[in-house]
Amino acid sequence: MKPLSSKVAKAEASQTLALTALAKQLRAEGKDVVSLTAGEPDFPTPAHIKHAAVNAIEANHTKYTVNAGIPELRKAVAAKFQRDNNLTFEPSQILVSNGAKHSIFNTLAAICNKGDEVIIPAPYWVSYPEMVKLVDATPVIINTTEKNDFKMTPAQLRRAITKKTKALILCSPSNPTGSVYSREEIEELARILHKADVYVIADEIYEKVIYDGMEHFSIGSIPEMKDLAITVNGVSKAYSMTGWRIGYLGAATEITSAAEKVQSQTTSNASSISQYAALAALTGPNDEVTAMTKEFCKRREYIYNAVTSIEGITCVKPKGAFYLFPNVSAYFGKKFDGAAIKSADDFAKFLIKEEQVVTVPGTGFGAKNCIRMSYACSMQELEKAAERLCRGLKKLK
Ligand code: PMP
Ligand code: GLU
């Protein structure tokens, strides 16, 4: 067999997807598994959105659409950006893709050259560094600390920028830490990016899932950042539409056009039916979004209190998204049945084997002392998870 792509060989497979698949497989085998893996709301997609998709099928909207998305949806996205984020885009500056993941990849493919550096604060969403590698650019990781709520400081950003820096990927609210940057913090980062002429890919997929009165602020709304910010969002999280695969970006015309070119030669348009569903989501009522966020907030309180009451575990309280990212390193070195837990991977494996609780180890997120627990699952599941976690950890000596 001839050698395959070395670039692909160097990239890691997605751990979030791998562990979600493992949890599904164990469940299919009849195991009583609690899965805290995927960042996937457990609510059904709201009824009016599902009806819009059924209507789209009935109306025969089942053919290719324009590559960048149906005009009504691009217009609705531009209106959403204006309404919610104070971002002004023409519909022609919007590109609709197969999920926000695809929007980010299209952007990276559109802006990066070989050897360009892309700054990523850690802990990061698993896919960012791997996507950067896949476009021949180099991820430059900034390690943030629990003490600083897992947020990068302006000094850290300044130090990381070199002549080769092309972009920063900024995710707020963050997957996996739940940290949210304040308006003032974002303004300070923006001053540095503007001075150095560095793009920012603002991943705002969790903007609606935010707590404690925090307000999401879009970096692209700062006038100086208008041409430097590529704002990415989607319907997966806010409207519980993960399987529909619709994400979108808004950016300067040149960037959107380049990303559109990448999409035109690789995947073409996102699903026509899903585009009509996304149109209903963005133009319809928002009460279910608000209700879901209220429920996530309740679950956050529960799981945060349960996990932090376990001896040795520390955790930054999330301000947004639906993940808890506890530091479990106090358990490293402890043993069960003679085998030592040496890492977050061992810790996660122990939880699967002994308690059938599936989490995602922090390794893939650039945080070797933590595990990620998604609380986008039901309260009963969370109660079971907390009980099993307490029971399991008592077995470690
Ligand atoms: N960004 C972040 C931070 C995420 O957690 C996810 C996971 N769904 C995505 C982007 C991609 O979302 P989707 O492709 O479902 O729109
Ligand atoms: N983004 C979600 C997560 O982090 C879904 C899985 C994925 O696309 O990585 O779990």
Side-chain angles (χ1 to χ4, degrees):
M1 201 177 183
K2 292 220 187 216
L4 306 184
S5 157
S6 51
K7 200 160 64 178
V8 173
K10 274 189 214 136
E12 303 284 337
S14 167
Q15 275 205 17
T16 46
L17 297 189
L19 280 138
T20 306
L22 175 67
K24 283 191 177 142
Q25 184 200 322
L26 293 172
R27 202 167 272 158
E29 288 166 8
K31 306 242 163 62
D32 175 23
V33 162
V34 178
S35 174
L36 307 181
T37 52
E40 175 159 71
D42 59 323
F43 306 101
T45 301
H48 70 279
I49 299 174
K50 292 195 281 195
H51 290 152
V54 172
N55 291 343
I57 295 174
E58 297 289 355
N60 292 317
H61 292 312
T62 53
K63 305 283 169 89
Y64 293 134
T65 72
V66 179
N67 173 48
I70 53 172
E72 305 91 304
L73 181 55
R74 293 171 90 191
K75 208 166 136 208
V77 170
K80 176 258 175 278
F81 273 143
Q82 187 71 65
R83 180 180 71 229
D84 296 352
N85 311 106
N86 197 24
L87 296 168
T88 307
F89 290 116
E90 291 299 324
S92 60
Q93 295 176 294
I94 306 297
L95 173 63
V96 177
S97 304
N98 298 283
K101 196 181 241 179
H102 189 208
S103 306
I104 297 166
F105 188 76
N106 281 340
T107 303
L108 287 167
I111 66 172
C112 289
N113 288 311
K114 193 174 169 67
D116 281 352
E117 294 176 354
V118 177
I119 298 175
I120 305 172
Y124 43 72
W125 180 42
V126 287
S127 297
Y128 297 149
E130 308 316 304
M131 289 203 257
V132 168
K133 289 187 222 161
L134 288 173
V135 299
D136 266 337
T138 308
V140 172
I141 308 300
I142 292 180
N143 286 308
T144 67
T145 60
E146 281 169 80
K147 215 172 98 219
N148 203 36
D149 281 350
F150 285 126
K151 288 191 272 191
M152 108 191 99
T153 64
Q156 281 183 306
L157 176 61
R158 219 176 276 118
R159 276 201 299 274
I161 294 176
T162 70
K163 282 203 180 71
K164 290 186 184 162
T165 307
K166 183 56 77 67
L168 162 75
I169 304 184
L170 185 68
C171 181
S172 176
S174 152
N175 175 5
T177 65
S179 301
V180 176
Y181 286 83
S182 70
R183 178 183 181 138
E184 292 69 31
E185 286 166 338
I186 287 182
E187 283 172 344
E188 235 183 302
L189 298 176
R191 271 193 284 278
I192 299 165
L193 295 171
H194 179 244
K195 193 161 165 228
D197 197 25
V198 168
Y199 292 120
V200 58
I201 302 174
D203 182 347
E204 306 193 343
I205 190 109
Y206 295 102
E207 71 164 329
K208 305 270 186 217
V209 190
I210 195 162
Y211 318 114
D212 302 338
M214 294 288 292
E215 277 188 28
H216 170 74
F217 179 71
S218 293
I219 192 164
S221 67
I222 299 169
E224 291 73 24
M225 294 304 289
K226 193 169 166 28
D227 289 339
L228 286 175
I230 299 100
T231 306
V232 172
N233 209 323
V235 295
S236 284
K237 315 290 170 174
Y239 302 96
S240 203
M241 291 177 70
T242 44
W244 300 76
R245 312 306 304 126
I246 296 289
Y248 50 82
L249 66 83
T253 303
E254 295 79 352
I255 300 174
T256 305
S257 301
E260 198 180 325
K261 197 198 281 184
V262 175
Q263 177 160 307
S264 79
Q265 296 291 20
T266 51
T267 63
S268 303
N269 64 275
S271 149
S272 58
I273 300 153
S274 296
Q275 288 190 56
Y276 281 92
L279 178 62
L282 293 181
T283 54
N286 261 329
D287 7 334
E288 292 190 56
V289 179
T290 316
M292 283 191 246
T293 301
K294 222 166 133 194
E295 184 58 33
F296 288 137
C297 190
K298 248 199 271 169
R299 296 175 189 179
R300 174 194 67 150
E301 284 309 306
Y302 173 77
I303 195 70
Y304 174 77
N305 289 332
V307 168
T308 50
S309 67
I310 299 173
E311 208 187 309
I313 297 189
T314 58
C315 188
V316 174
K317 190 167 188 182
K319 295 270 188 288
F322 31 60
Y323 308 101
L324 203 66
F325 203 58
N327 182 326
V328 296
S329 60
Y331 286 86
F332 298 173
K334 292 196 188 261
K335 287 188 179 156
F336 177 70
D337 256 1
I341 306 274
K342 294 199 208 86
S343 62
D345 295 74
D346 288 347
F347 187 93
K349 273 187 204 143
F350 163 79
L351 285 183
I352 298 174
K353 192 153 173 273
E354 285 308 313
E355 295 294 340
Q356 287 80 51
V357 174
V358 193
T359 61
V360 188
T363 340
F365 301 93
K368 60 183 185 357
N369 291 333
C370 298
I371 57 164
R372 192 188 78 171
M373 306 166 81
S374 163
Y375 53 89
C377 57
S378 74
M379 201 63 178
Q380 290 93 301
E381 290 286 286
L382 288 179
E383 282 166 5
K384 254 201 229 173
E387 195 183 300
R388 292 182 187 190
L389 190 64
C390 281
R391 190 176 61 196
L393 294 185
K394 285 197 188 112
K395 297 180 195 165
L396 291 175
K397 299 289 174 228

